[in-house]
Amino acid sequence: MLQAFHNYFRRKETQLHELNYLFWECTQRCNLNCMHCGSDCTASSLYKDMPFEDFLKALQPLETRFQRNSILVVITGGEPLVRQDLADCGRQLRQHGFPWGIVSNGWAYDEARHKELMAAGLCSVTFSLDGLKGTHDTFRKRQGSFEHALNAIDLVANERRKLEYDVVTCVSPMNLGELDELKQLLVEHHVKAWRFFTIEPIGRAANDPKLQLSNAQFRQLMDFIVATRKEGKIDAKFSCEAYVGPYERKVRDWYFFCRAGITIGSVLVDGSISACPNIDRHFVQGNIYRDNFLEVWENRFQPFRDRRWMKTGSCKDCKVYKHCLGGAMHLHRAGSGEILQCHYQKLMGHA
Protein backbone atom coordinates (compact mmCIF):
# COMPACT_ATOMS: atom_id res chain seq x y z
CA MET A 1 0.00 0.00 0.00
CA LEU A 2 2.74 2.47 0.93
CA GLN A 3 4.69 1.65 -2.23
CA ALA A 4 1.56 2.33 -4.33
CA PHE A 5 1.06 5.65 -2.53
CA HIS A 6 4.70 6.54 -3.22
CA ASN A 7 4.32 5.74 -6.93
CA TYR A 8 1.28 8.04 -7.08
CA PHE A 9 3.18 10.78 -5.24
CA ARG A 10 6.11 10.40 -7.65
CA ARG A 11 3.81 10.84 -10.65
CA LYS A 12 2.38 14.04 -9.15
CA GLU A 13 5.84 15.36 -8.30
CA THR A 14 6.93 14.69 -11.87
CA GLN A 15 3.93 16.53 -13.30
CA LEU A 16 4.61 19.55 -11.10
CA HIS A 17 8.44 19.39 -11.43
CA GLU A 18 8.95 22.12 -8.84
CA LEU A 19 12.67 22.91 -8.77
CA ASN A 20 14.03 22.92 -5.23
CA TYR A 21 17.66 21.78 -5.58
CA LEU A 22 20.08 23.31 -8.07
CA PHE A 23 23.69 22.26 -8.58
CA TRP A 24 26.16 24.83 -9.83
CA GLU A 25 29.28 23.22 -11.26
CA CYS A 26 31.37 26.32 -10.69
CA THR A 27 34.66 24.73 -11.78
CA GLN A 28 36.14 21.52 -13.08
CA ARG A 29 39.48 22.20 -11.42
CA CYS A 30 40.36 20.03 -8.43
CA ASN A 31 43.16 19.81 -5.87
CA LEU A 32 42.90 16.00 -5.76
CA ASN A 33 42.95 13.26 -8.40
CA CYS A 34 40.51 10.67 -7.06
CA MET A 35 40.38 7.14 -8.45
CA HIS A 36 36.59 7.17 -8.74
CA CYS A 37 35.87 10.73 -9.88
CA GLY A 38 32.60 10.79 -11.80
CA SER A 39 33.52 14.10 -13.46
CA ASP A 40 37.11 13.10 -14.28
CA CYS A 41 38.38 16.43 -12.91
CA THR A 42 42.02 17.52 -12.77
CA ALA A 43 44.11 20.40 -11.40
CA SER A 44 43.67 22.18 -14.72
CA SER A 45 40.60 21.99 -16.91
CA LEU A 46 39.57 22.41 -20.52
CA TYR A 47 36.89 24.75 -19.19
CA LYS A 48 37.47 28.04 -17.43
CA ASP A 49 35.63 28.58 -14.16
CA MET A 50 32.18 30.00 -14.84
CA PRO A 51 31.98 33.69 -13.93
CA PHE A 52 29.55 34.02 -11.04
CA GLU A 53 27.80 36.90 -12.80
CA ASP A 54 26.81 34.51 -15.60
CA PHE A 55 25.30 32.05 -13.17
CA LEU A 56 23.47 34.76 -11.22
CA LYS A 57 22.01 36.16 -14.44
CA ALA A 58 20.68 32.68 -15.30
CA LEU A 59 18.94 32.55 -11.91
CA GLN A 60 17.05 35.81 -12.37
CA PRO A 61 13.95 34.22 -14.01
CA LEU A 62 13.70 31.84 -11.04
CA GLU A 63 13.31 34.78 -8.65
CA THR A 64 10.00 35.67 -10.28
CA ARG A 65 8.69 32.08 -10.44
CA PHE A 66 9.68 30.61 -7.07
CA GLN A 67 9.44 31.83 -3.49
CA ARG A 68 12.58 33.12 -1.79
CA ASN A 69 14.60 30.46 0.00
CA SER A 70 12.75 27.63 -1.76
CA ILE A 71 15.66 26.57 -4.00
CA LEU A 72 18.89 25.36 -2.43
CA VAL A 73 21.92 26.08 -4.63
CA VAL A 74 24.63 23.47 -4.07
CA ILE A 75 28.03 24.55 -5.35
CA THR A 76 30.12 21.69 -6.65
CA GLY A 77 32.92 20.97 -9.10
CA GLY A 78 35.62 19.82 -9.41
CA GLU A 79 36.40 21.22 -6.02
CA PRO A 80 34.53 24.48 -5.29
CA LEU A 81 37.08 25.60 -2.70
CA VAL A 82 39.69 26.18 -5.42
CA ARG A 83 37.70 29.34 -6.19
CA GLN A 84 38.82 32.26 -4.08
CA ASP A 85 35.54 34.14 -4.67
CA LEU A 86 33.37 31.39 -3.17
CA ALA A 87 32.29 33.37 -0.10
CA ASP A 88 31.33 36.36 -2.22
CA CYS A 89 29.32 34.07 -4.53
CA GLY A 90 27.48 32.64 -1.53
CA ARG A 91 26.81 36.04 -0.02
CA GLN A 92 25.20 37.27 -3.24
CA LEU A 93 23.14 34.10 -3.55
CA ARG A 94 21.68 34.72 -0.08
CA GLN A 95 20.95 38.32 -0.99
CA HIS A 96 18.95 37.09 -3.98
CA GLY A 97 16.97 34.60 -1.89
CA PHE A 98 18.90 31.39 -2.59
CA PRO A 99 20.24 29.42 0.38
CA TRP A 100 23.47 27.71 -0.62
CA GLY A 101 25.81 24.89 0.27
CA ILE A 102 28.90 23.10 -1.01
CA VAL A 103 30.08 19.59 -1.79
CA SER A 104 33.78 19.34 -1.00
CA ASN A 105 36.67 16.95 -0.48
CA GLY A 106 37.69 19.05 2.54
CA TRP A 107 41.33 19.56 1.55
CA ALA A 108 41.14 23.38 1.58
CA TYR A 109 38.49 23.70 4.31
CA ASP A 110 40.39 25.12 7.28
CA GLU A 111 39.21 27.27 10.18
CA ALA A 112 39.69 30.55 8.33
CA ARG A 113 37.70 29.30 5.33
CA HIS A 114 34.99 27.95 7.60
CA LYS A 115 34.52 31.31 9.31
CA GLU A 116 34.52 33.11 5.96
CA LEU A 117 31.88 30.85 4.45
CA MET A 118 29.69 30.86 7.54
CA ALA A 119 29.75 34.66 7.53
CA ALA A 120 28.61 34.51 3.90
CA GLY A 121 25.54 32.45 4.85
CA LEU A 122 26.68 28.88 4.23
CA CYS A 123 23.80 26.59 5.20
CA SER A 124 24.78 23.08 4.04
CA VAL A 125 27.99 21.09 3.59
CA THR A 126 28.79 17.62 2.33
CA PHE A 127 32.26 16.18 2.86
CA SER A 128 33.63 12.89 1.56
CA LEU A 129 35.42 10.33 3.70
CA ASP A 130 36.15 7.08 1.89
CA GLY A 131 37.76 4.90 4.49
CA LEU A 132 40.42 5.02 7.17
CA LYS A 133 43.64 6.96 6.61
CA GLY A 134 45.50 4.66 4.22
CA THR A 135 42.45 3.79 2.15
CA HIS A 136 41.14 7.34 1.91
CA ASP A 137 44.53 8.71 0.86
CA THR A 138 44.84 5.96 -1.75
CA PHE A 139 41.38 6.79 -3.10
CA ARG A 140 42.20 10.48 -3.25
CA LYS A 141 45.75 9.99 -4.55
CA ARG A 142 47.18 12.58 -2.17
CA GLN A 143 48.81 11.98 1.19
CA GLY A 144 47.21 13.97 3.98
CA SER A 145 43.76 13.90 2.40
CA PHE A 146 42.33 11.97 5.35
CA GLU A 147 43.59 14.46 7.95
CA HIS A 148 42.33 17.42 5.91
CA ALA A 149 38.89 15.83 5.49
CA LEU A 150 38.61 14.88 9.17
CA ASN A 151 39.62 18.39 10.24
CA ALA A 152 36.95 19.83 7.93
CA ILE A 153 34.37 17.44 9.40
CA ASP A 154 35.31 18.55 12.92
CA LEU A 155 34.81 22.21 12.00
CA VAL A 156 31.23 21.69 10.81
CA ALA A 157 30.33 19.08 13.45
CA ASN A 158 31.32 21.49 16.21
CA GLU A 159 29.65 24.53 14.65
CA ARG A 160 27.01 25.90 17.01
CA ARG A 161 25.23 28.01 14.43
CA LYS A 162 22.62 26.38 12.21
CA LEU A 163 24.36 24.31 9.55
CA GLU A 164 23.12 21.17 7.81
CA TYR A 165 25.92 18.76 7.00
CA ASP A 166 26.66 15.14 6.26
CA VAL A 167 29.51 12.84 5.37
CA VAL A 168 29.38 10.66 2.26
CA THR A 169 31.31 7.47 1.68
CA CYS A 170 31.77 5.84 -1.72
CA VAL A 171 31.87 2.12 -0.97
CA SER A 172 34.08 -0.30 -2.88
CA PRO A 173 35.89 -3.55 -2.05
CA MET A 174 38.77 -1.34 -0.85
CA ASN A 175 36.85 0.09 2.11
CA LEU A 176 33.92 -2.28 2.70
CA GLY A 177 35.76 -4.06 5.51
CA GLU A 178 36.53 -0.74 7.24
CA LEU A 179 32.97 0.53 7.53
CA ASP A 180 32.50 -0.51 11.16
CA GLU A 181 35.71 1.23 12.26
CA LEU A 182 34.80 4.24 10.13
CA LYS A 183 31.40 4.37 11.82
CA GLN A 184 33.02 4.44 15.25
CA LEU A 185 35.35 7.21 14.10
CA LEU A 186 32.49 9.35 12.80
CA VAL A 187 30.48 8.85 15.98
CA GLU A 188 33.51 9.88 18.06
CA HIS A 189 33.76 13.04 15.94
CA HIS A 190 30.08 13.86 16.58
CA VAL A 191 28.90 13.27 13.02
CA LYS A 192 25.12 12.91 12.90
CA ALA A 193 24.42 12.01 9.25
CA TRP A 194 26.23 9.52 6.98
CA ARG A 195 25.32 8.67 3.38
CA PHE A 196 26.58 5.80 1.23
CA PHE A 197 27.16 5.56 -2.50
CA THR A 198 28.54 2.69 -4.49
CA ILE A 199 31.11 3.30 -7.20
CA GLU A 200 29.42 2.80 -10.54
CA PRO A 201 31.03 2.31 -13.96
CA ILE A 202 31.08 6.01 -14.85
CA GLY A 203 33.87 8.60 -15.01
CA ARG A 204 37.27 7.23 -14.01
CA ALA A 205 35.70 4.15 -12.47
CA ALA A 206 34.31 3.01 -15.83
CA ASN A 207 37.53 1.17 -16.62
CA ASP A 208 38.41 0.07 -13.10
CA PRO A 209 36.37 -3.07 -12.27
CA LYS A 210 38.15 -3.59 -8.93
CA LEU A 211 36.10 -0.69 -7.55
CA GLN A 212 32.80 -2.48 -8.21
CA LEU A 213 31.07 -4.42 -5.43
CA SER A 214 30.19 -8.02 -6.10
CA ASN A 215 26.63 -9.20 -5.47
CA ALA A 216 27.59 -10.56 -2.05
CA GLN A 217 29.48 -7.39 -1.14
CA PHE A 218 26.55 -5.19 -2.14
CA ARG A 219 24.24 -7.19 0.11
CA GLN A 220 26.85 -6.87 2.86
CA LEU A 221 26.68 -3.10 2.49
CA MET A 222 22.89 -3.13 2.70
CA ASP A 223 23.01 -5.27 5.85
CA PHE A 224 25.55 -2.91 7.40
CA ILE A 225 23.32 0.11 6.77
CA VAL A 226 20.29 -1.70 8.22
CA ALA A 227 22.24 -2.65 11.36
CA THR A 228 23.67 0.86 11.73
CA ARG A 229 20.22 2.43 11.47
CA LYS A 230 18.88 0.06 14.13
CA GLU A 231 21.82 0.89 16.38
CA GLY A 232 20.84 4.57 16.23
CA LYS A 233 24.21 6.17 16.92
CA ILE A 234 24.37 7.87 13.53
CA ASP A 235 21.74 8.55 10.85
CA ALA A 236 22.97 6.22 8.09
CA LYS A 237 21.32 6.20 4.67
CA PHE A 238 21.87 4.63 1.29
CA SER A 239 21.83 7.27 -1.43
CA CYS A 240 19.08 7.78 -4.00
CA GLU A 241 21.09 5.94 -6.65
CA ALA A 242 19.00 2.79 -6.93
CA TYR A 243 15.93 0.76 -6.13
CA VAL A 244 16.97 -1.97 -3.70
CA GLY A 245 13.91 -4.22 -3.50
CA PRO A 246 13.61 -5.90 -0.08
CA TYR A 247 15.82 -3.23 1.49
CA GLU A 248 13.56 -0.33 0.53
CA ARG A 249 12.71 1.79 3.61
CA LYS A 250 15.25 -0.22 5.60
CA VAL A 251 18.33 1.61 4.27
CA ARG A 252 16.73 5.04 3.80
CA ASP A 253 13.71 6.86 5.19
CA TRP A 254 11.49 6.41 2.14
CA TYR A 255 11.29 4.64 -1.21
CA PHE A 256 13.70 5.14 -4.09
CA PHE A 257 12.98 8.21 -6.21
CA CYS A 258 15.43 9.59 -8.76
CA ARG A 259 14.53 13.29 -8.73
CA ALA A 260 16.98 14.30 -11.46
CA GLY A 261 15.18 16.67 -13.82
CA ILE A 262 12.08 16.54 -11.60
CA THR A 263 13.07 18.61 -8.58
CA ILE A 264 16.85 18.65 -9.17
CA GLY A 265 18.57 20.70 -11.86
CA SER A 266 22.08 21.89 -12.61
CA VAL A 267 24.09 24.49 -14.44
CA LEU A 268 27.36 22.96 -15.60
CA VAL A 269 30.68 24.75 -15.98
CA ASP A 270 30.17 25.43 -19.71
CA GLY A 271 26.63 26.75 -19.15
CA SER A 272 24.87 23.49 -19.98
CA ILE A 273 21.51 22.95 -18.27
CA SER A 274 21.00 19.45 -16.89
CA ALA A 275 20.28 17.69 -13.58
CA CYS A 276 22.86 15.90 -11.38
CA PRO A 277 26.36 16.72 -12.71
CA ASN A 278 27.35 13.03 -13.06
CA ILE A 279 24.62 12.34 -15.63
CA ASP A 280 25.74 11.66 -19.21
CA ARG A 281 26.18 15.09 -20.79
CA HIS A 282 24.31 13.99 -23.89
CA PHE A 283 21.19 14.50 -21.75
CA VAL A 284 21.86 18.26 -21.54
CA GLN A 285 18.63 20.20 -22.18
CA GLY A 286 19.95 23.67 -23.05
CA ASN A 287 22.58 26.26 -22.22
CA ILE A 288 22.31 29.44 -20.17
CA TYR A 289 24.30 31.35 -22.80
CA ARG A 290 21.55 30.92 -25.37
CA ASP A 291 18.45 29.76 -23.42
CA ASN A 292 16.28 31.03 -20.60
CA PHE A 293 16.87 28.62 -17.70
CA LEU A 294 13.27 28.78 -16.48
CA GLU A 295 11.84 28.08 -19.93
CA VAL A 296 14.14 25.09 -20.31
CA TRP A 297 13.17 23.79 -16.88
CA GLU A 298 9.45 24.15 -17.54
CA ASN A 299 9.30 22.86 -21.11
CA ARG A 300 12.14 20.40 -21.67
CA PHE A 301 13.60 17.55 -19.59
CA GLN A 302 11.30 15.00 -21.26
CA PRO A 303 13.87 12.15 -20.98
CA PHE A 304 13.95 12.78 -17.22
CA ARG A 305 10.20 13.06 -16.68
CA ASP A 306 8.96 10.32 -18.99
CA ARG A 307 11.29 7.37 -18.55
CA ARG A 308 9.46 4.81 -20.62
CA TRP A 309 12.47 4.84 -22.96
CA MET A 310 14.32 2.97 -20.20
CA LYS A 311 11.96 0.00 -20.39
CA THR A 312 14.23 -2.04 -22.60
CA GLY A 313 16.93 -4.68 -22.25
CA SER A 314 17.03 -6.09 -18.73
CA CYS A 315 14.29 -3.63 -17.65
CA LYS A 316 11.82 -4.61 -20.36
CA ASP A 317 10.11 -7.46 -18.51
CA CYS A 318 11.27 -6.67 -14.99
CA LYS A 319 8.49 -7.12 -12.43
CA VAL A 320 9.67 -4.14 -10.35
CA TYR A 321 10.07 -1.65 -13.19
CA LYS A 322 6.97 0.25 -11.99
CA HIS A 323 8.81 0.92 -8.72
CA CYS A 324 12.25 1.90 -10.03
CA LEU A 325 11.38 3.25 -13.54
CA GLY A 326 14.73 2.13 -14.85
CA GLY A 327 16.86 3.31 -11.96
CA ALA A 328 18.90 6.48 -11.56
CA MET A 329 19.58 8.71 -14.59
CA HIS A 330 23.34 8.67 -14.10
CA LEU A 331 23.32 4.90 -14.78
CA HIS A 332 22.15 5.44 -18.36
CA ARG A 333 23.79 6.60 -21.56
CA ALA A 334 21.98 8.62 -24.20
CA GLY A 335 20.90 6.50 -27.16
CA SER A 336 20.55 3.35 -25.09
CA GLY A 337 17.91 2.49 -22.51
CA GLU A 338 19.99 -0.32 -21.07
CA ILE A 339 21.07 0.38 -17.50
CA LEU A 340 24.81 0.26 -16.79
CA GLN A 341 24.33 -1.55 -13.48
CA CYS A 342 21.15 -2.81 -11.81
CA HIS A 343 21.35 -2.87 -8.02
CA TYR A 344 18.14 -4.88 -7.73
CA GLN A 345 19.63 -7.61 -9.93
CA LYS A 346 22.78 -7.59 -7.80
CA LEU A 347 20.68 -8.26 -4.73
CA MET A 348 18.49 -10.88 -6.37
CA GLY A 349 21.53 -12.53 -7.95
CA HIS A 350 22.79 -13.33 -4.48
CA ALA A 351 19.43 -14.40 -3.10
Side-chain angles (χ1 to χ4, degrees):
M1 180 64 72
L2 283 177
Q3 178 72 70
F5 171 77
H6 168 72
N7 293 351
Y8 172 81
F9 166 78
R10 183 178 58 196
R11 289 195 298 272
K12 293 301 180 182
E13 283 278 279
T14 303
Q15 291 169 7
L16 292 172
H17 51 265
E18 290 283 301
L19 180 68
N20 59 32
Y21 200 96
L22 179 63
F23 285 104
W24 177 35
E25 186 184 57
C26 69
T27 183
Q28 278 202 343
R29 293 182 295 133
C30 191
N31 45 22
L32 301 183
N33 186 30
C34 305
M35 294 173 62
H36 56 306
C37 180
S39 301
D40 202 13
C41 298
T42 57
S44 60
S45 172
L46 295 174
Y47 298 102
K48 294 181 179 179
D49 295 357
M50 178 181 287
F52 176 69
E53 295 75 15
D54 295 356
F55 178 64
L56 190 60
K57 183 178 179 181
L59 295 185
Q60 288 176 354
L62 302 181
E63 295 183 56
T64 63
R65 165 67 174 80
F66 296 96
Q67 291 185 349
R68 287 179 66 87
N69 301 317
S70 65
I71 299 174
L72 174 66
V73 174
V74 178
I75 305 176
T76 184
E79 170 53 49
L81 291 174
V82 302
R83 288 185 63 130
Q84 297 308 306
D85 64 344
L86 190 61
D88 186 54
C89 296
R91 188 175 296 107
Q92 291 191 58
L93 285 170
R94 289 305 293 260
Q95 290 170 354
H96 283 264
F98 295 98
W100 66 283
I102 61 171
V103 177
S104 172
N105 59 43
W107 180 272
Y109 198 95
D110 56 16
E111 186 172 2
R113 207 72 188 274
H114 175 67
K115 290 179 178 178
E116 178 189 41
L117 297 180
M118 288 298 297
L122 179 69
C123 67
S124 78
V125 184
T126 293
F127 289 125
S128 297
L129 196 66
D130 294 319
L132 302 177
K133 184 180 186 304
T135 303
H136 182 85
D137 285 357
T138 298
F139 257 62
R140 301 287 164 174
K141 294 186 178 180
R142 188 169 182 180
Q143 292 298 310
S145 299
F146 177 84
E147 285 88 352
H148 281 257
L150 197 58
N151 179 66
I153 289 167
D154 283 338
L155 287 168
V156 299
N158 294 318
E159 175 58 56
R160 294 185 178 182
R161 289 166 290 183
K162 186 177 180 180
L163 179 64
E164 298 292 328
Y165 74 93
D166 66 356
V167 172
V168 299
T169 297
C170 292
V171 183
S172 78
M174 292 175 62
N175 61 12
L176 182 63
E178 298 179 352
L179 292 184
D180 196 60
E181 286 183 80
L182 190 59
K183 176 186 67 178
Q184 299 304 325
L185 178 71
L186 293 177
V187 170
E188 289 170 7
H189 284 259
H190 311 293
V191 173
K192 304 298 183 185
W194 189 19
R195 270 186 302 146
F196 298 88
F197 292 82
T198 60
I199 299 179
E200 289 115 0
I202 61 174
R204 289 191 192 134
N207 299 312
D208 197 348
K210 71 176 182 294
L211 296 178
Q212 309 301 313
L213 295 175
S214 68
N215 295 356
Q217 289 170 331
F218 185 61
R219 184 176 286 267
Q220 183 181 340
L221 170 61
M222 294 295 101
D223 290 337
F224 174 80
I225 298 174
V226 171
T228 300
R229 287 171 65 85
K230 287 181 179 178
E231 188 179 38
K233 293 181 179 179
I234 189 169
D235 182 15
K237 290 185 177 70
F238 188 50
S239 69
C240 59
E241 71 183 69
Y243 175 78
V244 289
Y247 287 95
E248 288 291 307
R249 299 191 68 216
K250 295 179 181 179
V251 295
R252 57 171 85 91
D253 295 339
W254 197 240
Y255 294 100
F256 166 70
F257 184 1
C258 177
R259 297 175 179 271
I262 297 171
T263 62
I264 299 173
S266 70
V267 174
L268 306 180
V269 71
D270 64 349
S272 295
I273 300 169
S274 187
C276 301
N278 280 346
I279 290 172
D280 183 351
R281 305 214 167 191
H282 289 92
F283 286 112
V284 162
Q285 299 297 300
N287 192 291
I288 64 168
Y289 292 111
R290 64 172 184 268
D291 301 307
N292 178 294
F293 181 91
L294 180 58
E295 290 180 359
V296 171
W297 178 258
E298 295 287 9
N299 301 313
R300 301 188 193 178
F301 283 87
Q302 285 82 6
F304 294 80
R305 297 169 187 167
D306 182 355
R307 303 191 184 187
R308 286 176 292 182
W309 60 271
M310 292 182 179
K311 194 171 174 59
T312 187
S314 60
C315 294
K316 184 177 181 179
D317 299 314
C318 180
K319 64 181 180 180
V320 300
Y321 175 83
K322 63 182 179 181
H323 301 320
C324 80
L325 297 183
M329 280 291 299
H330 71 277
L331 291 174
H332 289 268
R333 292 289 172 261
S336 170
E338 183 63 51
I339 192 168
L340 295 175
Q341 180 172 270
C342 176
H343 294 65
Y344 177 76
Q345 286 185 346
K346 288 176 75 71
L347 287 171
M348 296 301 101
H350 184 69

